[in-house]
Amino acid sequence: MSEAVIATASASADDAPTDGTQSEVAPTAEDIRRWPATVDPVTAGTAFGISRSYAYQLVKQGDFPAKVIRVGGKNRVVTADLMRVLGITGTHGSGPDGTHPALSVVGGDDAS
């Protein structure tokens, strides 16, 4: 799936519907790159264009299209795997230039 097919408009995880309906606006590849390491099944479902209830049904059946793990008793979808399944290239957490601010070396090359 190409990045152009994934979404036509920008949306954040906060834009996902909570009433069980399907999201009208899917997140873009850039949005997904900014997601945390794991997201809830509803948020991940927006990237696949599936409803809240169907996302939870797939998790329960063990058929969610990306890796689901349990964290603190809750189901979480691994964002890096979601990106792999959707064919989103680049590094999870990277900015538009491909760098990740949290991984920058403090003090430059001289740091010991």
Side-chain angles (χ1 to χ4, degrees):
M1 204 180 281
S2 73
E3 290 183 32
V5 173
I6 295 168
T8 57
S10 179
S12 69
D14 295 333
D15 294 331
T18 57
D19 61 358
T21 61
Q22 186 173 358
S23 174
E24 290 183 24
V25 180
T28 65
E30 188 62 35
D31 292 332
I32 295 169
R33 283 188 193 99
R34 284 190 237 117
W35 284 358
T38 64
V39 293
D40 63 272
V42 174
T43 300
T46 64
F48 292 107
I50 60 177
S51 71
R52 172 190 186 94
S53 59
Y54 191 53
Y56 282 116
Q57 178 183 343
L58 290 174
V59 168
K60 184 177 181 179
Q61 294 171 342
D63 291 331
F64 199 85
K67 183 174 182 172
V68 177
I69 60 173
R70 297 281 292 174
V71 178
K74 296 193 184 263
N75 290 310
R76 303 294 291 177
V77 178
V78 179
T79 303
D81 192 57
L82 181 141
M83 290 174 58
R84 180 192 62 78
V85 170
L86 291 174
I88 298 173
T89 58
T91 306
H92 168 253
S94 64
D97 62 355
T99 62
H100 192 296
L103 300 178
S104 300
V105 177
V106 177
D109 294 334
D110 298 348
S112 303

